[in-house]
Amino acid sequence: PPAVTIDVAPSAVTLLVGASATLDAIVTDADGRAFADSDIEWSSSAPEVASVSAAGVVTAISPGSASIVASNEQSAGFAHIVVQLEFRLPVSAGSVLRSEIGSPTTLCRGGEGGLREDGGVECSHAGVSRFSLDFRAPEGTSAGTQVGAAADGTVRDVCLRPPSGTTCGPDGPFVYIDHGNGFASQYSHLDPATITIRRKSPVLQGETVGRMGT
């Protein structure tokens, strides 16, 4: 049989539990010409996370990640599937989303940044913080808004008032929660006096981890 290359489209998909997506296997020969191949076999590296039908329909089963493989006797193609936890915003509806992740911009030194409510750019959203959401308290209040866990998990780290000469870093005081399956969230700039949760404690979605600082 002729040598072929198999590409899966889309090559990366993010789904919530219960959702589905259809993948296509694009088969080309050595000259790049596409042709139909009815002998494609579909499989999942983690069927407990994401299953796939004989027609390439992927169904999200549980949070985590999996590789979906489209193969025949000569070649194989892959798609990366992430099944995401159903996160909930950690603050009340009265709070305002001040800035969020946005398109990379040359206005920021590192070429990254987030979009602010006033149309400006938040250049501190770089590196790990690239995936951050900033909130401010409802109008008329300076602080005190309750902050809840975005999903079930286990508290892995807490920083309140560190010993003299040390700091919690630019994100402190904070609570860091491990949600399992590669997902985690950090709640930064909290009022340290309101953080009663401790390391290794289990938390449920919506459970209070502290209150918004100033």
Side-chain angles (χ1 to χ4, degrees):
V4 298
T5 298
I6 301 175
D7 293 303
V8 178
S11 60
V13 179
T14 300
L15 299 170
L16 291 175
V17 172
S20 297
T22 300
L23 304 179
D24 292 322
I26 303 168
V27 184
T28 56
D29 62 16
D31 295 322
R33 293 173 298 199
F35 61 94
D37 190 330
S38 59
D39 296 327
I40 294 294
E41 294 184 1
W42 294 91
S43 61
S44 171
S45 66
E48 72 279 6
V49 172
S51 63
V52 61
S53 72
V57 178
V58 177
T59 301
I61 306 299
S62 63
S65 61
S67 291
I68 301 299
V69 185
S71 62
N72 62 13
E73 293 181 359
Q74 290 82 46
S75 186
F78 302 87
H80 183 63
I81 308 297
V82 173
V83 181
Q84 195 162 267
L85 287 170
E86 193 163 355
F87 286 101
R88 178 187 300 170
L89 287 179
V91 294
S92 65
S95 300
V96 177
L97 180 60
R98 177 175 177 272
S99 62
E100 58 184 333
I101 56 173
S103 301
T105 171
T106 56
L107 296 176
C108 292
R109 185 175 180 180
E112 297 182 317
L115 303 177
R116 286 205 310 254
E117 60 172 331
D118 60 6
V121 177
E122 188 65 66
C123 292
S124 62
H125 282 192
V128 173
S129 293
R130 180 75 176 84
F131 305 97
S132 296
L133 298 172
D134 287 344
F135 297 92
R136 62 175 170 81
E139 200 67 37
T141 64
S142 60
T145 297
Q146 180 175 297
V147 179
D152 296 354
T154 301
V155 177
R156 294 302 182 199
D157 196 11
V158 176
C159 187
L160 303 176
R161 292 186 178 91
S164 177
T166 64
T167 69
C168 291
D171 297 327
F174 65 80
V175 172
Y176 182 91
I177 299 177
D178 180 0
H179 302 289
N181 300 296
F183 298 102
S185 59
Q186 180 168 299
Y187 309 81
S188 304
H189 315 303
L190 300 174
D191 176 357
T194 67
I195 302 175
T196 59
I197 203 164
R198 292 295 179 260
R199 290 182 180 89
K200 300 182 180 180
S201 301
V203 289
L204 298 176
Q205 186 178 60
E207 184 176 343
T208 300
V209 299
R211 290 186 177 274
M212 188 181 292
T214 56

